[in-house]
Coordinates of all heavy atoms in Angstrom, one line a residue:
D207 N 84.3 23.6 65.8 CA 85.7 23.0 65.9 C 86.3 22.9 64.5 O 85.8 22.0 63.7 CB 85.5 21.6 66.6 CG 86.8 20.9 66.8 OD1 87.9 21.5 66.4 OD2 86.9 19.8 67.3
T208 N 87.2 23.8 64.2 CA 87.8 23.8 62.9 C 88.5 22.5 62.6 O 88.4 22.0 61.4 CB 88.8 25.0 62.8 OG1 88.2 26.2 63.1 CG2 89.4 25.1 61.4
A209 N 89.2 21.8 63.6 CA 89.9 20.6 63.3 C 88.9 19.5 62.8 O 89.2 18.7 61.9 CB 90.6 20.1 64.5
T210 N 87.7 19.4 63.5 CA 86.7 18.4 63.1 C 86.2 18.7 61.7 O 86.0 17.8 60.9 CB 85.5 18.5 64.1 OG1 86.1 18.3 65.4 CG2 84.5 17.4 63.8
Y211 N 86.0 20.0 61.4 CA 85.5 20.4 60.1 C 86.6 20.0 59.0 O 86.2 19.5 57.9 CB 85.2 21.9 60.0 CG 84.8 22.4 58.7 CD1 83.7 21.8 58.0 CD2 85.4 23.4 58.0 CE1 83.2 22.2 56.8 CE2 85.0 23.8 56.8 CZ 83.9 23.2 56.2 OH 83.5 23.7 54.9
Q212 N 87.9 20.2 59.3 CA 88.9 19.9 58.4 C 88.8 18.4 58.1 O 89.0 18.0 56.9 CB 90.3 20.2 59.0 CG 90.7 21.6 58.8 CD 91.9 21.9 59.6 OE1 92.2 21.3 60.6 NE2 92.7 22.9 59.2
K213 N 88.5 17.6 59.1 CA 88.4 16.1 58.9 C 87.3 15.7 58.0 O 87.4 14.8 57.2 CB 88.3 15.5 60.3 CG 89.2 14.3 60.5 CD 89.0 13.6 61.8 CE 89.5 14.4 63.0 NZ 89.1 13.9 64.3
H214 N 86.1 16.5 58.2 CA 84.9 16.1 57.4 C 84.8 16.8 56.1 O 84.0 16.3 55.2 CB 83.7 16.4 58.3 CG 83.6 15.5 59.5 ND1 83.4 14.1 59.4 CD2 83.7 15.7 60.8 CE1 83.3 13.6 60.6 NE2 83.5 14.5 61.5
S215 N 85.5 17.8 55.9 CA 85.4 18.6 54.6 C 85.7 17.8 53.4 O 86.8 17.1 53.4 CB 86.2 19.9 54.7 OG 86.1 20.5 53.5
A216 N 84.9 17.8 52.4 CA 85.1 16.9 51.2 C 84.2 17.4 50.1 O 83.3 18.1 50.3 CB 84.8 15.5 51.6
R217 N 84.6 16.9 48.9 CA 83.8 17.1 47.7 C 82.5 16.3 48.0 O 82.5 15.2 48.5 CB 84.6 16.5 46.6 CG 83.8 16.4 45.3 CD 84.7 15.8 44.2 NE 83.9 15.5 43.0 CZ 84.5 15.2 41.9 NH1 85.8 15.1 41.8 NH2 83.7 15.0 40.8
V218 N 81.3 16.9 47.7 CA 80.1 16.2 47.9 C 80.1 14.9 47.1 O 80.4 14.9 45.9 CB 78.8 17.1 47.6 CG1 78.7 17.5 46.1 CG2 77.5 16.5 48.1
E219 N 79.6 13.8 47.8 CA 79.7 12.5 47.2 C 78.7 12.4 46.0 O 77.5 12.6 46.3 CB 79.4 11.5 48.3 CG 79.4 10.0 47.8 CD 80.8 9.6 47.3 OE1 81.8 9.6 48.0 OE2 80.8 9.2 46.1
T220 N 79.1 12.0 44.8 CA 78.2 11.9 43.7 C 78.5 10.6 42.9 O 77.8 10.3 42.0 CB 78.3 13.1 42.7 OG1 79.7 13.2 42.3 CG2 77.8 14.4 43.3
E221 N 79.5 9.9 43.4 CA 79.9 8.7 42.6 C 78.8 7.7 42.4 O 78.7 7.0 41.4 CB 81.1 8.0 43.3 CG 82.4 8.7 43.2 CD 82.9 8.9 41.7 OE1 82.9 7.9 41.0 OE2 83.2 10.0 41.4
D222 N 77.9 7.6 43.5 CA 76.9 6.6 43.4 C 75.5 7.1 42.9 O 74.5 6.5 43.0 CB 76.7 6.0 44.8 CG 76.3 7.0 45.8 OD1 76.7 8.2 45.6 OD2 75.7 6.7 46.9
I223 N 75.6 8.4 42.5 CA 74.3 9.0 42.0 C 74.2 8.8 40.5 O 75.1 9.1 39.7 CB 74.2 10.5 42.3 CG1 74.1 10.6 43.8 CG2 73.1 11.2 41.6 CD1 74.0 12.0 44.3
D224 N 73.1 8.2 40.1 CA 72.9 7.9 38.7 C 72.1 9.1 38.0 O 70.9 9.2 38.0 CB 72.0 6.6 38.5 CG 71.8 6.2 37.1 OD1 72.4 6.9 36.2 OD2 71.1 5.3 36.8
F225 N 72.9 10.0 37.4 CA 72.4 11.2 36.8 C 71.5 10.9 35.6 O 70.7 11.7 35.2 CB 73.5 12.2 36.5 CG 74.1 12.8 37.7 CD1 75.2 12.3 38.3 CD2 73.6 14.0 38.2 CE1 75.8 12.9 39.4 CE2 74.1 14.6 39.3 CZ 75.3 14.0 40.0
A226 N 71.7 9.7 35.1 CA 70.9 9.3 33.9 C 69.4 9.1 34.2 O 68.6 9.1 33.3 CB 71.4 8.0 33.3
T227 N 69.1 8.9 35.5 CA 67.7 8.8 35.9 C 66.9 10.0 35.5 O 65.7 10.0 35.3 CB 67.5 8.6 37.4 OG1 68.1 9.7 38.1 CG2 68.1 7.2 37.9
F228 N 67.6 11.2 35.4 CA 66.9 12.4 35.0 C 66.4 12.4 33.5 O 65.5 13.1 33.1 CB 67.7 13.7 35.2 CG 68.0 13.9 36.7 CD1 69.2 13.7 37.3 CD2 67.0 14.4 37.5 CE1 69.5 13.9 38.6 CE2 67.2 14.6 38.9 CZ 68.5 14.4 39.4
R229 N 67.0 11.5 32.8 CA 66.6 11.3 31.3 C 65.2 10.6 31.3 O 64.4 11.0 30.5 CB 67.6 10.4 30.6 CG 69.0 11.0 30.6 CD 69.3 11.7 29.2 NE 70.6 12.4 29.3 CZ 70.8 13.5 28.6 NH1 69.9 14.1 27.9 NH2 72.0 14.0 28.7
D230 N 65.0 9.6 32.2 CA 63.7 8.9 32.2 C 62.7 9.7 33.0 O 61.5 9.6 32.7 CB 63.9 7.5 32.8 CG 65.0 6.7 32.0 OD1 65.1 6.9 30.8 OD2 65.7 5.9 32.7
Q231 N 63.2 10.3 34.1 CA 62.3 11.0 35.0 C 62.8 12.5 35.1 O 63.4 12.9 36.1 CB 62.4 10.5 36.4 CG 61.6 9.2 36.6 CD 61.9 8.8 38.1 OE1 62.8 8.1 38.4 NE2 61.0 9.3 39.0
P232 N 62.5 13.3 34.0 CA 63.0 14.7 34.1 C 62.3 15.5 35.2 O 61.2 15.2 35.5 CB 62.8 15.2 32.7 CG 61.7 14.3 32.1 CD 61.8 13.0 32.8
L233 N 63.0 16.6 35.6 CA 62.4 17.5 36.6 C 61.4 18.4 35.9 O 61.5 18.7 34.7 CB 63.5 18.3 37.2 CG 64.5 17.5 38.1 CD1 65.7 18.4 38.4 CD2 63.8 17.2 39.5
E234 N 60.5 18.9 36.7 CA 59.5 19.9 36.1 C 60.3 21.2 35.8 O 61.3 21.5 36.4 CB 58.5 20.2 37.2 CG 57.5 19.1 37.6 CD 56.7 18.6 36.4 OE1 56.2 19.5 35.7 OE2 56.5 17.4 36.3
P235 N 59.8 22.0 34.8 CA 60.5 23.2 34.4 C 60.8 24.2 35.6 O 61.9 24.7 35.7 CB 59.5 23.9 33.4 CG 58.7 22.7 32.9 CD 58.6 21.7 34.0
D236 N 59.8 24.3 36.6 CA 60.1 25.2 37.7 C 61.3 24.7 38.6 O 62.1 25.5 39.1 CB 58.8 25.3 38.6 CG 57.8 26.3 37.9 OD1 58.2 26.9 36.9 OD2 56.7 26.3 38.4
A237 N 61.3 23.4 38.8 CA 62.4 22.9 39.6 C 63.8 23.1 38.9 O 64.8 23.5 39.5 CB 62.2 21.4 39.9
L238 N 63.8 22.9 37.6 CA 65.0 23.1 36.8 C 65.4 24.6 36.8 O 66.6 24.9 36.9 CB 64.7 22.8 35.3 CG 65.1 21.4 34.8 CD1 64.8 21.3 33.4 CD2 66.6 21.1 35.2
R239 N 64.4 25.5 36.8 CA 64.7 26.9 36.8 C 65.4 27.3 38.2 O 66.3 28.0 38.2 CB 63.4 27.7 36.7 CG 63.6 29.2 36.4 CD 62.2 29.8 36.1 NE 62.4 31.3 36.1 CZ 61.3 32.1 35.9 NH1 60.1 31.6 35.7 NH2 61.5 33.4 35.9
C240 N 64.9 26.6 39.2 CA 65.5 26.8 40.6 C 67.0 26.3 40.5 O 67.9 27.0 41.1 CB 64.8 25.9 41.6 SG 63.6 26.8 42.5
L241 N 67.2 25.2 39.9 CA 68.5 24.6 39.9 C 69.5 25.4 39.1 O 70.7 25.5 39.5 CB 68.5 23.2 39.4 CG 67.9 22.1 40.3 CD1 67.8 20.8 39.6 CD2 68.8 22.0 41.6
R242 N 69.0 26.1 38.1 CA 69.9 27.0 37.3 C 70.4 28.1 38.3 O 71.6 28.5 38.3 CB 69.1 27.7 36.2 CG 69.1 26.8 34.9 CD 68.4 27.6 33.8 NE 67.4 26.7 33.2 CZ 66.1 26.9 33.1 NH1 65.6 28.1 33.5 NH2 65.3 26.0 32.5
Y243 N 69.5 28.7 39.0 CA 69.8 29.7 40.0 C 70.8 29.2 41.0 O 71.9 29.8 41.3 CB 68.5 30.1 40.7 CG 68.6 31.3 41.7 CD1 67.9 32.5 41.4 CD2 69.3 31.2 42.9 CE1 68.0 33.6 42.2 CE2 69.3 32.3 43.8 CZ 68.6 33.4 43.4 OH 68.6 34.5 44.3
M244 N 70.6 28.0 41.5 CA 71.4 27.4 42.6 C 72.8 27.1 42.0 O 73.8 27.3 42.7 CB 70.8 26.2 43.2 CG 69.5 26.5 44.0 SD 68.4 25.2 44.3 CE 67.4 25.8 45.6
H245 N 72.9 26.6 40.8 CA 74.1 26.4 40.1 C 74.9 27.6 40.0 O 76.1 27.7 40.3 CB 73.9 25.8 38.7 CG 75.0 25.8 37.8 ND1 75.4 26.8 37.0 CD2 76.0 24.8 37.6 CE1 76.5 26.5 36.3 NE2 76.8 25.3 36.6
D246 N 74.3 28.7 39.6 CA 75.0 30.0 39.4 C 75.5 30.6 40.7 O 76.6 31.1 40.8 CB 74.0 31.0 38.7 CG 73.7 30.6 37.3 OD1 74.4 29.6 36.8 OD2 72.8 31.1 36.7
V247 N 74.7 30.5 41.7 CA 75.1 31.1 43.0 C 76.2 30.2 43.7 O 77.1 30.8 44.2 CB 73.8 31.2 43.9 CG1 74.3 31.6 45.3 CG2 72.9 32.3 43.4
E248 N 76.0 28.9 43.7 CA 77.1 28.1 44.2 C 78.4 28.3 43.5 O 79.5 28.4 44.1 CB 76.7 26.6 44.1 CG 75.5 26.1 44.9 CD 75.9 25.9 46.4 OE1 77.0 26.3 46.8 OE2 75.0 25.4 47.1
S249 N 78.3 28.5 42.2 CA 79.5 28.7 41.4 C 80.1 30.1 41.6 O 81.3 30.3 41.2 CB 79.2 28.5 39.9 OG 78.7 27.2 39.7
H250 N 79.4 31.0 42.2 CA 79.8 32.3 42.4 C 80.5 32.5 43.7 O 81.1 33.6 44.0 CB 78.6 33.3 42.3 CG 79.0 34.7 42.0 ND1 79.5 35.1 40.7 CD2 79.0 35.9 42.7 CE1 79.7 36.4 40.7 NE2 79.5 36.9 41.9
T251 N 80.6 31.4 44.5 CA 81.2 31.5 45.9 C 82.6 32.1 45.9 O 83.0 32.9 46.7 CB 81.2 30.1 46.5 OG1 79.9 29.6 46.5 CG2 81.8 30.1 47.9
V252 N 83.4 31.7 44.9 CA 84.8 32.2 44.8 C 84.8 33.7 44.7 O 85.8 34.3 45.2 CB 85.6 31.5 43.7 CG1 85.1 31.9 42.3 CG2 87.0 31.7 43.9
C253 N 83.8 34.3 44.1 CA 83.7 35.8 44.0 C 83.3 36.4 45.3 O 83.8 37.5 45.6 CB 82.8 36.2 42.9 SG 83.2 35.4 41.3
Y254 N 82.5 35.7 46.1 CA 82.2 36.2 47.4 C 83.4 36.1 48.3 O 83.7 37.0 49.1 CB 81.0 35.4 48.1 CG 79.7 35.4 47.3 CD1 79.0 34.3 46.9 CD2 79.1 36.7 47.1 CE1 77.8 34.4 46.3 CE2 77.9 36.7 46.4 CZ 77.2 35.6 46.0 OH 76.0 35.6 45.4
L255 N 84.2 35.0 48.1 CA 85.4 34.9 48.9 C 86.4 36.0 48.6 O 87.0 36.5 49.5 CB 86.1 33.5 48.5 CG 87.4 33.2 49.1 CD1 87.3 33.0 50.6 CD2 88.0 31.9 48.5
R256 N 86.5 36.4 47.3 CA 87.3 37.5 46.9 C 87.0 38.8 47.8 O 87.9 39.4 48.3 CB 87.1 37.9 45.4 CG 87.6 39.1 44.9 CD 86.9 39.6 43.6 NE 85.5 40.0 43.9 CZ 84.7 40.5 42.9 NH1 85.1 40.6 41.7 NH2 83.5 40.8 43.2
D257 N 85.7 39.0 48.0 CA 85.3 40.2 48.7 C 85.6 40.1 50.2 O 85.8 41.2 50.8 CB 83.7 40.4 48.5 CG 83.4 40.7 47.1 OD1 84.3 41.1 46.3 OD2 82.2 40.6 46.7
V258 N 85.7 38.9 50.7 CA 86.0 38.8 52.2 C 87.5 38.9 52.4 O 88.0 39.6 53.3 CB 85.5 37.4 52.7 CG1 85.8 37.3 54.2 CG2 84.0 37.3 52.5
L259 N 88.3 38.4 51.4 CA 89.7 38.3 51.7 C 90.4 39.7 51.6 O 91.6 39.8 52.0 CB 90.4 37.3 50.7 CG 90.0 35.8 51.0 CD1 90.7 34.9 50.0 CD2 90.5 35.4 52.4
V260 N 89.8 40.6 50.9 CA 90.4 42.0 50.9 C 90.2 42.8 52.2 O 90.7 43.9 52.3 CB 89.9 42.8 49.7 CG1 90.3 42.1 48.4 CG2 88.4 43.1 49.8
T261 N 89.4 42.2 53.1 CA 89.2 42.9 54.4 C 90.1 42.3 55.5 O 90.8 41.4 55.2 CB 87.7 42.7 54.8 OG1 87.5 41.3 55.3 CG2 86.7 43.0 53.7
R262 N 90.0 42.9 56.7 CA 90.9 42.4 57.7 C 90.5 41.0 58.2 O 91.3 40.4 59.0 CB 90.8 43.4 58.9 CG 89.5 43.5 59.6 CD 89.6 44.6 60.7 NE 89.5 46.0 60.2 CZ 90.0 47.0 60.8 NH1 90.5 46.9 62.0 NH2 89.8 48.2 60.3
A263 N 89.4 40.4 57.7 CA 89.1 39.0 58.0 C 90.2 38.1 57.6 O 90.4 37.0 58.2 CB 87.8 38.6 57.3

Side-chain angles (χ1 to χ4, degrees):
D207 182 0
T208 304
T210 305
Y211 179 55
Q212 279 171 332
K213 225 183 289 171
H214 291 295
S215 176
R217 169 181 176 168
V218 65
E219 181 62 59
T220 53
E221 286 301 310
D222 58 336
I223 290 182
D224 184 5
F225 288 90
T227 58
F228 292 109
R229 299 262 175 211
D230 303 326
Q231 279 178 275
L233 293 164
E234 295 295 323
D236 282 350
L238 264 183
R239 191 173 171 183
C240 263
L241 284 175
R242 277 185 226 122
Y243 186 113
M244 289 160 164
H245 168 273
D246 292 350
V247 171
E248 294 280 11
S249 304
H250 204 68
T251 302
V252 69
C253 304
Y254 297 126
L255 177 64
R256 168 200 68 176
D257 296 341
V258 181
L259 289 180
V260 297
T261 71
R262 65 182 78 201

